[in-house]
Amino acid sequence: MLSKKMGDALNGQIQWEMFSGYIYLAMSANCDSIGLKGFANWFMVQYKEEMDHAFKMYNYLLEQGADVELLAIDKPQQSYDSPLQMFEVALEHEQGVTKRINDLVDLAISEKDHATQIFLQWFVTEQVEEESNANENIDKLKLIKDNPGGLFMMDKDLAARVFTPITAEE
Ligand code: FEO
């Protein structure tokens, strides 16, 4: 059983995960429109992952008999100057998500809510990967700079990313 405060906080995180998905979906459309289909694929997979993160929280609330309350999602930034700027925005956003996950863990600890604490560990680990992915792509794009051949090769690499639902990983 969850406290009302914990339930509200997890509903807030569902909103945030969906907002993350919205940001990545806009980035995907942006890349598609400039012919970077591989980058568009990478961001589309990221969008699906974020919706899966939201769904994992949604399922947990239902399992715990708590109320699901879907909140309004803000309009994301629609246009970017470059793929590098997209990944820089993504990194800053993910650092914010990490802070929010840590705050949720702190709340679960303060409430002695062991089940939620254990549930949130998956997200703690996931955030390390989320930040690392953004950092890795920023490093590559900085190396590539204005080299179209390098960008083309990176686009080919990013085209290979596939979405794996969390349920298939567990
Ligand atoms: Fe669901 Fe990108 O964190």
Side-chain angles (χ1 to χ4, degrees):
M1 152 138 194
L2 296 183
S3 72
K4 170 87 171 80
K5 193 172 175 186
M6 194 76 239
D8 287 348
L10 290 174
N11 273 304
Q13 190 59 29
I14 289 178
Q15 176 196 38
W16 206 251
E17 298 291 344
M18 288 191 167
F19 178 52
S20 305
Y22 242 39
I23 291 172
Y24 291 122
L25 190 60
M27 289 177 176
S28 180
N30 215 282
C31 290
D32 202 290
S33 70
I34 56 172
L36 291 173
K37 301 284 184 189
F39 280 81
N41 172 68
W42 196 95
F43 285 121
M44 182 61 78
V45 170
Q46 192 63 29
Y47 157 73
K48 289 176 185 170
E49 280 203 358
E50 298 301 352
M51 300 312 274
D52 214 21
H53 297 169
F55 197 54
K56 189 174 174 75
M57 297 239 168
Y58 167 97
N59 277 333
Y60 180 70
L61 283 169
L62 292 179
E63 262 173 29
Q64 287 279 18
D67 290 335
V68 168
E69 190 187 353
L70 297 177
L71 305 168
I73 303 168
D74 284 344
K75 183 176 175 177
Q77 182 175 340
Q78 304 283 328
S79 61
Y80 294 88
D81 295 337
S82 64
L84 176 60
Q85 192 199 19
M86 289 183 214
F87 281 110
E88 284 171 344
V89 168
L91 176 61
E92 199 183 333
H93 179 78
E94 290 299 342
Q95 287 166 339
V97 175
T98 300
K99 185 182 177 320
R100 294 179 67 99
I101 296 290
N102 288 341
D103 288 347
L104 287 171
V105 174
D106 287 346
L107 178 62
I109 290 169
S110 75
E111 294 197 349
K112 296 188 169 58
D113 180 347
H114 299 287
T116 303
Q117 223 179 300
I118 290 167
F119 168 74
L120 288 169
Q121 290 313 302
W122 184 92
F123 287 90
V124 171
T125 307
E126 176 69 10
Q127 280 313 118
V128 176
E129 195 186 315
E130 295 284 73
E131 288 189 30
S132 159
N133 282 343
N135 263 318
E136 194 181 309
N137 287 315
I138 287 170
D139 288 347
K140 283 183 188 163
L141 285 164
K142 282 185 176 167
L143 280 172
I144 288 169
K145 286 195 184 132
D146 297 325
N147 179 340
L151 196 62
F152 178 71
M153 273 179 60
M154 186 169 170
D155 193 58
K156 263 181 88 173
D157 284 350
L158 297 186
R161 188 181 190 197
V162 287
F163 171 63
T164 310
I166 297 168
T167 44
E169 291 171 3
E170 291 169 343

